Structure formats: structure tokens, C-alpha cells
Amino acid sequence: MMSNQPAPIDIWPSLPLDAWQDTYATLHMWTQIIGKIRLTQTPWINHSWHTPLYLTVRGLTTSTIPYGSRIFQIDFDFIDHELLIQTSEGARRAIALYPRSVADFYQNVMETLRALDIHITINTKPNEVPDPIRFEQDETHAAYDADYANRFWQVLLQSDRVFRDFRSHFSGKVSPVHFFWGSFDLAVTRFSGRSAPEHPGGVPNLPDAVAQEAYSQEVSSAGFWPGAGLSYPAFYSYAYPEPDGLKQAAIRPDAAFYSKELGEFILPYDAVREAESPDQMLFDFLQSTYDAAANLGNWNQEELKQLTFKMNS
């Protein structure tokens, strides 16, 4: 007898960088287009928290975006592979995701917005990448492998789940878990409550003032990125400013290490996906690297620790 049960989903799927690098580069530009639409329309929030995208059960979302008194939202759906633009009046438009150039995607998105009587102008020069090509001129990036786009979203979705658990153990200022389209990474950041020395800037195609405001306070930050510049996907953790001795700090798990080249702790994604308990391994990495940064940086950890409690319904 055949089972009617759905096939099990590999919640930590393989994501070798070489297998989807072209899709990665194209999707990076597509998310920048959508992120810049949100950026243009949303009031500034400290550390650029008004710009990221967020995980959904199907992909990534801008969340609600104001347009005068109207509201709209843009979602990447990596199950049906379409971009959804919806408005508070009930309008809904879908743009197919398939191998197409950044220029074609950009034109389609802007035309669809105009058809909804939403007229927005964005800066079409990509951020945080070397040798940027303006969106309307980019015929170079035109790949879309639906399977790997879905795998990437699955990794983000599971990482988001563990990051949220980690975030809940901190009562100080802490960022949402959010996807930054500039650097193309999922991140969560804890703050000590103290100001930090001015950041030197120097991020490719990003105004120094943006980086300096983002790092205006002392932080311990962690995240996931697919591996551009590293050759494999990985989780990372760093502190700004970096306290003395952090490079030599003992952290967990054994697969994690400090990269002098990147100035960050690195945990290869494959070590997590192949672990007996991926959630526990990732949580240990997040907690031990934060502990190292907070201990060596003399953070007031008792004051910042979140007390657990139960609320009766």
C-alpha cells in the first residue's frame, strides 16, 4: 500500500557554493532591488533596521511598506517561485522567478508597481559588491536555479528559528533576526549598551556614514551567509570593537575557528547540517562566541541576561 504521507523535507539541505553561485549572484541583485524599494519608503530606524527582509513560510518579505496612506508588501515565494506584490486595497500581482536578467527583472517589477499606481524611484547602483552594474543595465546576472533558491531559503528558515531562540535569552537591546540584502546574510545582533569607537567604514559601495551609524554602539553579532569570498557557506560571529584576546578564546563546537582574514569566528555550514543535533551545535556556537566577546569586553552580563518565566493564559 502506498503512503499518502508527504516525503520528508531535508531541513538542513546541502548548499555547495559552486553549484549555485550564478543563481546566488542574480538573487543577490533581485533582493537588492526589492530591499531598496522598502528602504526608499520606510522611515529610518537605527542601525538600518528599516531596510532588511524577513523570513516567511514561503520565502522572504519586506513586511508592510507605506505609500502615503496606502500600504503594500513584496514577497519572494521560493516554493511557487514568484514575486508577489500585494496592496491593502486587495490588489495582487505575481511576477515569475525564472532565469532572467537583473535588468529584465527590474523593469518588470517597476512596471508592475506603476500598474498598481505606486510610483517609486530607487538608487539603481548595487551596494556592498565590487564592480557594481546598475540594475537597468545588468544583463550579466541572469541565472535562477529553483531548487537551489529553495534550498537557500530552507537554510535561512532553520537558521532564523535557532537565531530566534538565541535572541530570546537576552534582555538588553537586540536586533530582530533579519536578512540584509546588501551583504546577503541573515543576522542577529546584541548590544552591550555602551557606545563604540567610530567605525573606519570602507565597505564597498556603501557610504561610510551608514557603517559608522550601524556600529555606533558596542555589539556582538552573528549570522549566516552563503559563502561569497569564503568558498563555502558558513555561520559567523564577531564583536565590534573586538576585545583583546578574542582571537584566542575557546569556543564551541570543535569545528568552529577564528578567521584572521575575516576577523570573525566561522562555523562551516556543512558541520552543522551533518551534526547529530544541528540545532544544538549552532546554538553552542552562538552562545560560546557571545560569551567570549562579552567576558573579554566586560559586558554586564547579569544585567543583560533574560530571565525565563511562564505566563498563564
Side-chain angles (χ1 to χ4, degrees):
M1 180 180 295
M2 294 183 63
S3 172
N4 291 324
Q5 295 296 318
I9 297 173
D10 184 0
I11 65 172
W12 296 101
S14 175
L15 195 67
L17 182 61
D18 289 347
W20 76 297
Q21 198 153 23
D22 291 342
T23 294
Y24 174 176
T26 301
L27 193 55
H28 190 179
M29 295 301 99
W30 289 359
T31 60
Q32 290 216 11
I33 292 167
I34 303 309
K36 282 172 177 272
I37 292 170
R38 183 183 183 212
L39 169 63
T40 299
Q41 293 301 120
T42 308
W44 186 278
I45 300 176
N46 59 180
H47 318 300
S48 297
W49 291 355
H50 60 302
T51 66
L53 306 179
Y54 309 98
L55 269 297
T56 74
V57 294
R58 301 185 71 90
L60 290 165
T61 183
T62 59
S63 73
T64 55
I65 302 173
Y67 185 73
S69 61
R70 300 172 64 198
I71 305 294
F72 71 102
Q73 178 173 306
I74 306 178
D75 293 351
F76 283 94
D77 182 333
F78 295 125
I79 294 177
D80 287 341
H81 301 285
E82 56 187 13
L83 184 81
L84 297 176
I85 303 177
Q86 302 176 84
T87 74
S88 52
E89 297 94 351
R92 182 183 185 276
R93 300 289 187 273
I95 297 172
L97 302 180
Y98 60 87
R100 61 193 305 186
S101 71
V102 171
D104 183 48
F105 178 82
Y106 169 75
Q107 180 179 356
N108 200 169
V109 169
M110 303 311 282
E111 287 176 348
T112 302
L113 288 172
R114 288 193 292 269
L116 293 168
D117 200 22
I118 298 173
H119 303 273
I120 293 174
T121 300
I122 65 173
N123 182 341
T124 62
K125 183 179 180 180
N127 296 117
E128 300 188 54
V129 293
D131 305 317
I133 307 170
R134 289 194 175 274
F135 301 139
E136 69 273 21
Q137 301 170 357
D138 189 352
E139 300 288 349
T140 300
H141 301 108
Y144 186 76
D145 184 315
D147 176 51
Y148 275 96
N150 180 274
R151 292 189 196 197
F152 173 57
W153 159 69
Q154 285 282 357
V155 175
L156 292 181
L157 194 65
Q158 298 305 320
S159 300
D160 177 84
R161 177 176 58 80
V162 179
F163 287 4
R164 285 171 181 260
D165 184 14
F166 171 69
R167 182 183 187 274
S168 73
H169 296 270
F170 193 76
S171 65
K173 178 178 175 178
V174 58
S175 77
V177 180
H178 43 202
F179 181 79
F180 279 109
W181 40 265
S183 48
F184 207 64
D185 66 328
L186 188 72
V188 61
T189 302
R190 292 177 171 186
F191 294 77
S192 74
R194 302 190 297 245
S195 60
E198 185 173 86
H199 192 277
V203 179
N205 295 295
L206 184 74
D208 286 349
V210 174
Q212 288 163 355
E213 191 279 332
Y215 291 101
S216 59
Q217 298 176 28
E218 194 173 35
V219 301
S220 173
S221 189
F224 169 83
W225 93 102
L230 186 63
S231 79
Y232 56 85
F235 297 95
Y236 66 82
S237 178
Y238 65 88
Y240 182 81
E242 183 177 300
D244 292 340
L246 188 65
K247 296 178 179 64
Q248 294 80 32
I251 61 166
R252 301 186 305 275
D254 291 342
F257 63 94
Y258 185 90
S259 167
K260 293 182 179 178
E261 180 181 0
L262 298 175
E264 301 177 350
F265 290 110
I266 296 297
L267 174 61
Y269 168 68
D270 282 348
V272 173
R273 69 176 297 267
E274 294 168 1
E276 183 176 346
S277 176
D279 288 20
Q280 188 61 55
M281 176 179 282
L282 177 53
F283 192 94
D284 286 349
F285 175 72
L286 299 172
Q287 188 63 51
S288 66
T289 54
Y290 162 73
D291 287 341
N295 288 333
L296 293 168
N298 297 314
W299 289 29
N300 189 338
Q301 294 189 73
E302 286 305 312
E303 184 176 309
L304 296 170
K305 186 181 297 182
Q306 178 73 291
L307 298 176
T308 58
F309 64 96
K310 295 182 179 179
M311 182 179 295
N312 293 326
S313 58

